[in-house]
Each structure stands twice: as C-alpha cells, then as structure tokens.
Amino acid sequence: MGTSSLHNTPVKTPSQSPSNHDPNLITQQRKHPSSHQESAVRAMDLRPSNTEFKSRFEAYNRLQAAAVAFGEKLPIPEIVALGGQSDGKSSLLEALLGFRFNVREVEMGTRRPLILQMVHDPTAIEPRCRFQEEDSEEYGSPIVSASAIADVIKSRTEAHLKKTKTAVSSKPIVMRAEYAHCPNLTIIDTPGFVLKAKKGEPENTPDEILSMVKALASPPHRLLLFLQQSSVEWCSSLWLDSLRAVDPAFRRTIVVVSKFDNRLKEFGDRWEVDRYLSASGYLGDNTRPFFVALPKDRGTITNEEFRRQICQVDNEVLRHLRESINGGFDEEKYGSFIGFGSLKTYLESELQKRYKEAAPATLALLEQRCGEVADELHQVDSKLQSTSNVSSLRRAAMLHAACLSRHVGALIDGAADPPPEEWGKTTDEERSESGIGSWPSVTADIKPSNSVLKLYGGAAFERVMHEFRCATYSIECPPVSREKVANILLAHAGRGGGGGVTAAAAGIARAAARSWLAPLLDTACDRLAFVLRNLFDLAAERNRIHDLSDEGRKNGSMEGYIGFHAALRHSYNHFIQDLAKQCKQLVRHHLDSVTSPYSQVCLENDLMYRYNQPSSTSFFLELSEGVSTVEEDAMDEDQENVPPKSMEQRTPGKGIEAREALKESQITIPETPSPDQPVDGARKKENGRMAVDMGARKRQTRNHRNQSFGFQYSGDVNLRSGSAYSEVCSSAAQHFARIREVLIERSVPSALNSGFLTPCRDRLVVALGLDLFAVTDDKFMDMFVAPGAVDMLHNERQSLHRRQKILQSCLNEFKNVARSL
C-alpha cells in the first residue's frame, strides 16, 4: 500500500458512545428527538480531532495490509461480521459502505473472508475500490463498477480454492474502499452460516464454514458483530450457541437484530416492545442489542437514493415506536440502540477507541517483530555467504560434529542434562520403542533394578546389561530325551571309552549353551545399540543449548542445514550399527570359545578357584523410590530379578560334596557275568547317590559290558530310572551353569563395554570426520546446497527484506501515533 493512496480526510467518529455492556455509559439524549438526523448532529458535537483519528486509522490499515501479505499474527483491533446466510449481513455491509456492489449475489460464490477497509475521503465523489494483490502489500488499480467488484471477489475465490483444492479458505481478500459517504471503519466479512451445502459443493462445507468462522472470531482482540433477523426467537436461534463457544459472556460481541421492521407490527403496548428490546432473558442484563431495518428495494437505484432510503427507514421505525405503540417505548434506555445510524456511529467509535487503547502494545510488538525479522535476515545472509565459502562451512560443520561427539561421551559418563524425566526412557519404553520386546526363550517377566526410572546414556546402558544378566540366569539347561542320552553313551561304550557320562553331559551342555545363549547375546547387543542411538537427539539438544551461549555463536550455528543434519545422523547411526555387528561377532567368539571341547579343563580349573570367590558384578543398585538396595541373596518373588551372588547358590556341583559326587560318578567297567548267572554284587543308595558294589571276580568279554551307571548292552538299551540318564542330566546342568557363569561374569560384560562404550568415547569423532568431511568440496556441498537451494535463499531474503521494510515503516508510523496520544 503506497502512501499516495492515503488521503488527509476528516473522520466522522464520536469520541464517546453507549456501551452495549454497561447501560450507565449510554449517551443521554432528549426524550423525543424529532428525527434521526438530530441524533447524528448531536453525535457530531462530540468528535475529537480529525487529524488524530485519521493518522491512527491509516496506521492500522497499513499494518493490517502488511499482516495479510506476510502472514503476521498481530493483535490488530478488528470487527468480524458473522451470522446466518439470510440474516441481512450483506445488506448491512453495503449500508456501511454507502453504495451497493451486489455482495449478496457473491456470498454463495465466495468461501473466503473479505476484509473491507472503508476510508472516508471527501474527494471521492464516486467510490474507488482497490484489491490488495495476493501475497503482497500492494493494491491494484481502482475499480468503480459495482458488477466488476463482485466479479473480482468471485473469481479470486474460485481460483484460490482450486489451487488449494478446498471448499473454503481462511485466507482473506482485502478490499480498500475510498468514498466520501463511508466511515473510517474496517470489518472482516465472513461467509454466512448454512445448514446444507449447495449443489456441487462437498457435504461437509457447512461444518468447514462454521469451523473457519470460529477460528476468525476466537482472537480476543477482535470485536464480533453478530446478526440475527428479528423473526427468529432467541430461544430457537441456530447460531447463538456457536457464538457462545467463542465469547460465552458476550463481552466483545455486538448483537444486531436485523429486519426489525418485520417485527414492529406484532407490538401493541409499551411493555411488549420494551420486553423485546431488553432481550435480558437470553443475552444477559449487560448486553444491549441494536435493532436495524434497511431498505428492501433491490432495484437499480443511484447511490444517493440508496443512502436516502436508509435514513428514511430509520425515521419510519422511530416514528412507529413513538406513535403506533400504546405508551411508546423507553426511549431513554433503548433509543440509542434503534436504527442503522446509531449502529454505524457506535461501531466507528468503538473501533477507534480500541485503536487508541491498543496503540502502545502494538508499538512494542512491532519493535519486537522488526528485531526478529532482522535476525532472520541476518541468518539468511549468513547461509548465502556460506554457500560461497566452503572452508568456513567445513570448519563450522567439523566443530559441530566434534561438539556432538563430546556430548555423546558426556552422556555415557553420566551427564544428567537435558532433564532425564523428559528425555529418558523406562525399561518398558525401551522395549516398546526398540521393537525388540522380550528376551528370546525367556518366559519369566524380567524386571531389572530401576526399571521404572527414566534413564539414558551410561545409566541406561548399565541397566540393559543388568537386565541381560537377569535374563540369562533365568535359563536352565533344557531337558534331554532318553534317546539322545542313549545314543551318546552307546557310541562311547562301543569304542571302549571310559568317560561316557562326563563326555555326554559336556556335549549336551555345550550344545544347549550355543542354542539358548546365542539369541540372548544378539538381543543384548541390539538393546545396547538402541540406547546409544538415542544419544544422538540428546547430544543435539545439549549442543543446541550450548549454541545459545557466546561460545556457540562464535563457533557458528548449523541450524537450518537440514541436509547436513540428516547426513550427520545417518553417519552416527551407521557407526552404532557397525559397533553392534562387531560386538555380536565378539561375544559369539567368546561363546564358541567357552563351549569348545578343549575349554573344559580351563573351565574346571577356573571354577575350582572361583568356588569360594564372590562375584564382583553380580549386583545392581536399586534406586527406585521405596525400594532398598538389592542384595544378591534377595531373590523373593516380589522383588525384581537379580542374578545370584555366586555359583554356590545356583549351580550344583561345588564344594567338597560336589567333588565327592563327581568321584563317585566315574565310570568303572566290571566283568560281565554270563547270561545264565546272576549279577554279582548289589546296587545301594547312599546319601541320594548311586554307589556300585562290584563282584569279586572280573572277566573280560568282547560282546558284553556291564557299567556302573546302570544300563546293559545286549542288543537293546535300557536306561532305568535313577541310573545313567539322571546322572547325565545332572552333570549337563552343572556344565551348562559353568558355561553360563563364565560368560556372564567374565567374558561378555568386558566385551560389550569395550566394544560399545570405548569406541563411542575414542573413535566417534574420527569416524564422523572420515565419513562426512574426507570428501571433495563438491560432494561436501551436496549436504548444504540442494538444486535450486541458492535461488530459494535469494527469494527468502527478498521476501524478508520487503517484510522488514514494511514493518519498519509501520513502526515509524506508530511512533508518530504514540507521540500524539
């Protein structure tokens, strides 16, 4: 909007007017004014300085144009007209303008708000209407023809809705009307409420219109001009409840009863008309509606005749109330609310009063927005400069990556910012968000210590480690079928081996460990990798907070470079994924080593040393509220899972009794008796274990052997209860427990800590640097400058520059307004 369009025109606005909220503020009038013109003349005497109102009104008009063009959310005092489609809203707007432009015919065709900026200009003998260009603060050429005005509104609406593929749109059309017979007033005309969509429109159009109008009416700085025709009773109003949804007490609502002349013939006595005019039963005692009637003649008449008819209808309504009603009406109380002239005077006065009240806050907000736009412009300039300075961009990007790596290390070491209660996760949240769920083959509900606390970083890593140990200790050696035991023992017996039980048990334990523990190791690596992947967002948040400091601004902000941040995240995730693969291979190597047939001696020797040694990592502090520290021997069902303190509690076969049991279970090969002779000796049970009392004479035979673990090989296999089968199963459980303990207490924890945490502290920054920065300049710039990005930055800069210029102009204008207050 150029300054050439702003004219120094007198403004016809009273400085005081009756409030529709407080009857005590109603301007006192004479009991029986002779005509509506006399009321207008008395209002003219109360007008303040024309220059003061002129400058303030034009300042807000200019600010409103800027807000519409650039999408600024500024609390500009505005009047929003709303009501049903047939409640006379269009006729009222035309009466305020002082001329007709067929807005009624356009209303069903438009589904966009229309901002009418009425400017009183005594030099404009004929109305000059100009439309603000879409997405610009500039206005087009003046339009004089009424039909052309309607065509522009309709065509703009259809084009915009076709572009957005919607039935309605909240983006307004701005029309500036300069005319010698219109007031200085700005009203936002909204599409009328409808109950049913017209033919060719979506069925949900009425709901969309209602939703859009509510959104326009919701800001508290806007006055609501609500119209309802007089033939509708308040108790059956369709849209009154919708109005209450945005303004329950009608504190900023101006209620207008339209087509008032249609209701006059129903009144005979004064009490009837006074009761209707009060509307206190539905609108409240502090709300006074305006009662308006307008000409019904829609024929082709001149603008002068249109305005004359408006005054004539006002006079006829007042004359009817005074002369045709028995006792007249309470003119002192309701006279200021009768007629279009009273409404027009009040609207202009109320808007100007709110302009004056809002001017200081508007000035402060403009200063803030000018500063913010200047900062945005500076950032765009920096980005444009960076696109031509690769070395500077490389330095800033490398510093950002290094800071991110440093924050990851700090989080692993125990940093507690950002707030864990906001950024951390419980055990259940980790399981759910990682998509891993429960531990493989574990049916028990594993709840590690502090499972309900929101943790991240090193604390979450240790909790997963503890959960892994709990899950692993919950798995025992699975049961083995008799057929499998028989196959293993018979094979050893046939080759003359003397260690069948021990060999069978060890083989079974090794196979069970490889089958059951390997999935747990993979799951542990995946869960730990998920914990470390979450550190990227945490480190980015810590880095963002540090960027707000002087040091961060000195190093250069990387905010807004979406491509770089995406590449950095991808590189980090790839680094963690590689660590997970390496750790899986490492712990599998430990599992293969401990389940190798050649590791049994090492295991036994190691266990002999560890029998009486307490575990150094078999506990985890419980820090949850109301729960004391979990000791190793607290294994009740009501407590969270904790692994045993040592193998003495969970693993059979330790101590002196275990060694004695192992001695007694050694295989001996007695002499096999002939088939027709009884077996020498007898089997006895001592202390729950099988002991074999052998016969006195031993004989060698090629085809038959009788072993102390209780089966005979004479063409079939017979594993009797309490014999070799039980012994093999018991021994296998011991071997399985030994393998499990060596993995949990020694091999796996150190492997996972060194495989995950050490690289994150020592190698992350190098890995990110090689992946992102050890490339050519062209490839490096691909992260920052996408095709057409430079052009977009230039366009953004031009838009911000225009916005800054307009807002600065508005700021200077409001400074002048503030000086006059």
Side-chain angles (χ1 to χ4, degrees):
M1 180 175 59
T3 56
S4 60
S5 63
L6 308 179
H7 304 282
N8 294 323
T9 58
V11 179
K12 301 179 181 179
T13 305
S15 60
Q16 298 178 356
S17 64
S19 170
N20 64 326
H21 309 310
D22 190 353
N24 295 326
L25 298 179
I26 298 176
T27 305
Q28 297 297 323
Q29 299 186 9
R30 288 183 296 180
K31 291 283 186 178
H32 302 286
S34 59
S35 66
H36 171 70
Q37 284 82 356
E38 292 183 21
S39 300
V41 169
R42 290 195 305 273
M44 290 279 289
D45 297 334
L46 301 176
R47 291 184 188 130
S49 169
N50 290 336
T51 304
E52 176 186 339
F53 281 153
K54 169 67 169 61
S55 60
R56 191 180 306 135
F57 180 76
E58 288 295 357
Y60 273 105
N61 271 359
R62 185 188 297 272
L63 186 60
Q64 187 177 56
V68 172
F70 299 112
E72 291 282 351
K73 302 297 182 181
L74 301 174
I76 304 172
E78 296 162 324
I79 298 176
V80 179
L82 59 157
Q85 189 172 348
S86 59
D87 287 341
K89 182 160 54 69
S90 303
S91 298
L92 178 63
L93 295 178
E94 288 181 336
L96 289 170
L97 284 167
F99 66 94
R100 288 176 173 172
F101 64 98
N102 299 327
V103 68
R104 176 181 296 182
E105 298 177 7
V106 177
E107 186 169 8
M108 279 302 294
T110 183
R111 288 294 181 263
R112 294 176 62 181
L114 176 65
I115 298 180
L116 293 174
Q117 295 178 339
M118 309 175 199
V119 180
H120 177 75
D121 182 2
T123 66
I125 305 303
E126 294 294 331
R128 296 191 300 264
C129 297
R130 297 188 298 163
F131 287 89
Q132 184 177 344
E133 300 294 339
E134 300 280 7
D135 303 320
S136 172
E137 75 281 3
E138 300 296 332
Y139 286 78
S141 302
I143 301 176
V144 179
S145 171
S147 60
I149 295 171
D151 291 340
V152 170
I153 296 174
K154 188 171 183 178
S155 62
R156 282 200 173 189
T157 300
E158 292 175 349
H160 179 70
L161 296 183
K162 184 178 180 180
K163 179 181 179 181
T164 58
K165 297 180 180 180
T166 56
V168 297
S169 173
S170 60
K171 185 176 182 180
I173 299 173
V174 181
M175 186 182 83
R176 179 183 175 92
E178 300 165 352
Y179 193 29
H181 301 284
C182 72
N184 286 312
L185 196 65
T186 299
I187 292 183
I188 302 176
D189 181 26
T190 62
F193 300 130
V194 292
L195 294 174
K196 185 178 180 181
K198 74 173 186 176
K199 188 176 181 180
E201 289 185 337
E203 294 183 359
N204 65 339
T205 298
D207 294 332
E208 290 192 13
I209 291 176
L210 181 61
S211 177
M212 181 188 71
V213 173
K214 282 185 176 181
L216 290 171
S218 294
H221 59 272
R222 286 177 173 169
L223 287 171
L224 309 182
L225 184 64
F226 175 71
L227 275 78
Q228 179 174 279
Q229 55 182 309
S230 61
S231 60
V232 178
E233 300 295 338
W234 295 114
C235 59
S236 59
S237 174
L238 294 175
W239 313 118
L240 199 59
D241 290 338
S242 300
L243 179 64
R244 282 196 175 98
V246 294
D247 186 21
F250 300 131
R251 295 186 181 278
R252 52 191 180 89
T253 299
I254 304 168
V255 180
V256 177
V257 178
S258 61
K259 304 179 183 180
F260 181 52
D261 52 339
N262 293 338
R263 193 67 183 262
L264 287 177
K265 57 186 177 181
E266 300 180 11
F267 303 127
D269 297 323
R270 173 172 178 152
W271 68 269
E272 292 178 316
V273 68
D274 285 350
R275 184 178 64 176
Y276 178 78
L277 295 176
S278 67
S280 59
Y282 297 96
L283 302 181
D285 295 334
N286 294 330
T287 302
R288 291 285 182 267
F290 283 87
F291 299 88
V292 175
L294 293 171
K296 293 182 172 60
D297 183 11
R298 299 300 300 179
T300 302
I301 58 175
T302 63
N303 293 333
E304 289 76 12
E305 178 62 19
F306 176 56
R307 293 189 297 274
R308 189 195 65 80
Q309 290 181 5
I310 292 175
C311 293
Q312 181 180 352
V313 171
D314 273 0
N315 290 332
E316 290 174 355
V317 169
L318 285 172
R319 186 181 302 111
H320 181 88
L321 290 173
R322 293 168 184 155
E323 300 175 1
S324 301
I325 303 296
N326 292 332
F329 73 108
D330 191 344
E331 191 165 353
E332 181 177 356
K333 188 174 184 179
Y334 302 113
S336 299
F337 300 95
I338 303 298
F340 169 78
S342 297
L343 174 63
K344 177 181 177 182
T345 299
Y346 176 77
L347 289 177
E348 191 178 10
S349 173
E350 186 69 15
L351 187 61
Q352 293 289 5
K353 182 180 71 174
R354 289 178 178 263
Y355 279 169
K356 182 176 181 179
E357 293 172 351
T362 303
L363 178 61
L365 183 60
L366 276 174
E367 290 179 341
Q368 175 185 340
R369 286 298 299 136
C370 286
E372 292 171 350
V373 172
D375 291 340
E376 294 177 18
L377 189 60
H378 176 71
Q379 292 178 4
V380 173
D381 287 336
S382 299
K383 291 180 181 180
L384 285 172
Q385 183 179 3
S386 298
T387 57
S388 59
N389 191 345
V390 180
S391 61
S392 175
L393 195 58
R394 275 184 178 274
R395 177 183 177 277
M398 293 176 69
L399 286 174
H400 183 87
C403 290
L404 190 83
S405 301
R406 185 174 65 252
H407 290 308
V408 169
L411 291 166
I412 290 175
D413 291 339
D417 64 287
E421 58 272 11
E422 179 182 351
W423 292 82
K425 301 182 189 301
T426 65
T427 294
D428 289 340
E429 289 172 344
E430 282 181 3
R431 293 173 181 172
S432 175
E433 295 181 21
S434 65
I436 298 174
S438 60
W439 295 88
S441 305
V442 177
T443 58
D445 185 15
I446 305 299
K447 290 185 177 180
S449 300
N450 305 308
S451 62
V452 298
L453 296 183
K454 289 182 175 291
L455 304 178
Y456 57 62
F461 189 95
E462 291 301 323
R463 185 174 62 186
V464 173
M465 291 287 292
H466 181 62
E467 185 182 354
F468 161 71
R469 297 175 64 254
C470 293
T472 308
Y473 270 119
S474 69
I475 292 181
E476 301 293 343
C477 185
V480 186
S481 67
R482 294 178 179 272
E483 287 77 5
K484 186 172 184 178
V485 173
N487 274 273
I488 297 174
L489 291 180
L490 284 175
H492 283 277
R495 295 192 296 270
V501 171
T502 303
I508 291 171
R510 289 194 299 268
R514 286 190 294 267
S515 175
W516 290 72
L517 298 183
L520 291 178
L521 294 173
D522 290 344
T523 301
C525 292
D526 291 336
R527 285 284 302 278
L528 293 173
F530 175 76
V531 170
L532 295 179
R533 278 198 302 270
N534 285 340
L535 294 186
F536 183 89
D537 290 327
L538 287 157
E541 176 64 14
R542 282 172 58 89
N543 197 53
R544 185 190 67 81
I545 296 173
H546 284 261
D547 277 347
L548 299 178
S549 64
D550 293 337
E551 180 183 357
R553 286 192 291 268
K554 181 177 66 176
N555 292 336
S557 174
M558 299 301 294
E559 183 180 0
Y561 293 112
I562 299 176
F564 168 72
H565 289 292
L568 183 60
R569 180 186 293 272
H570 179 268
S571 180
Y572 177 83
N573 289 339
H574 184 70
F575 176 77
I576 300 299
Q577 184 179 0
D578 285 346
L579 291 184
K581 290 180 180 178
Q582 295 170 13
C583 286
K584 286 182 181 180
Q585 295 174 358
L586 184 60
V587 294
R588 282 296 186 98
H589 170 74
H590 285 289
L591 179 62
D592 293 340
S593 176
V594 81
T595 56
S596 170
Y598 303 103
S599 68
Q600 295 302 309
V601 175
C602 297
L603 275 175
E604 292 173 359
N605 293 338
D606 178 70
L607 291 171
M608 293 293 291
Y609 170 76
R610 290 170 56 84
Y611 278 159
N612 298 316
Q613 300 298 320
S615 173
S616 62
T617 60
S618 61
F619 69 94
F620 191 77
L621 294 177
E622 172 58 66
L623 301 176
S624 300
E625 183 177 0
V627 182
S628 60
T629 301
V630 177
E631 296 294 338
E632 292 77 12
D633 57 345
M635 297 297 295
D636 295 339
E637 294 180 357
D638 295 336
Q639 292 178 329
E640 293 178 333
N641 304 107
V642 292
K645 181 176 181 180
S646 68
M647 289 292 293
E648 293 177 359
Q649 297 170 310
R650 294 296 302 271
T651 306
K654 286 189 174 183
I656 298 176
E657 295 183 2
R659 289 194 292 272
E660 293 296 330
L662 289 176
K663 291 179 180 178
E664 295 181 10
S665 65
Q666 299 299 320
I667 300 176
T668 59
I669 305 177
E671 185 177 355
T672 304
S674 62
D676 56 346
Q677 293 179 350
V679 177
D680 294 334
R683 301 178 185 274
K684 300 179 182 179
K685 293 184 179 180
E686 296 179 4
N687 297 326
R689 294 185 298 271
M690 296 298 297
V692 180
D693 186 9
M694 305 304 302
R697 192 167 62 94
K698 300 180 181 179
R699 292 184 302 173
Q700 296 290 339
T701 179
R702 175 179 297 181
N703 298 324
H704 301 282
R705 288 188 180 94
N706 185 9
Q707 299 181 0
S708 64
F709 48 76
F711 79 89
Q712 295 179 347
Y713 179 65
S714 57
D716 64 347
V717 177
N718 180 20
L719 295 177
R720 292 186 295 274
S721 174
S723 61
Y725 175 71
S726 300
E727 198 166 342
V728 169
C729 291
S730 176
S731 182
Q734 297 175 24
H735 281 289
F736 183 86
R738 293 169 187 169
I739 294 172
R740 180 183 59 190
E741 185 188 16
V742 171
L743 282 174
I744 295 175
E745 303 298 342
R746 295 184 60 188
S747 304
V748 172
S750 60
L752 293 179
N753 277 280
S754 61
F756 275 114
L757 300 185
T758 301
C760 284
R761 292 190 185 98
D762 301 340
R763 291 174 19 215
L764 176 59
V765 64
V766 177
L768 295 179
L770 291 174
D771 194 16
L772 297 176
F773 309 123
V775 294
T776 63
D777 287 347
D778 291 340
K779 188 173 182 180
F780 172 78
M781 291 303 296
D782 287 342
M783 294 185 293
F784 299 91
V785 183
V790 176
D791 293 337
M792 292 178 61
L793 286 174
H794 280 293
N795 292 336
E796 183 180 0
R797 186 186 183 282
Q798 292 176 2
S799 177
L800 286 172
H801 185 69
R802 289 198 305 268
R803 179 180 300 195
Q804 183 188 40
K805 184 178 179 180
I806 292 297
L807 289 178
Q808 188 64 46
S809 174
C810 292
L811 175 62
N812 295 334
E813 195 164 0
F814 268 89
K815 286 181 178 180
N816 294 329
V817 170
R819 294 188 186 101
S820 65
L821 295 179

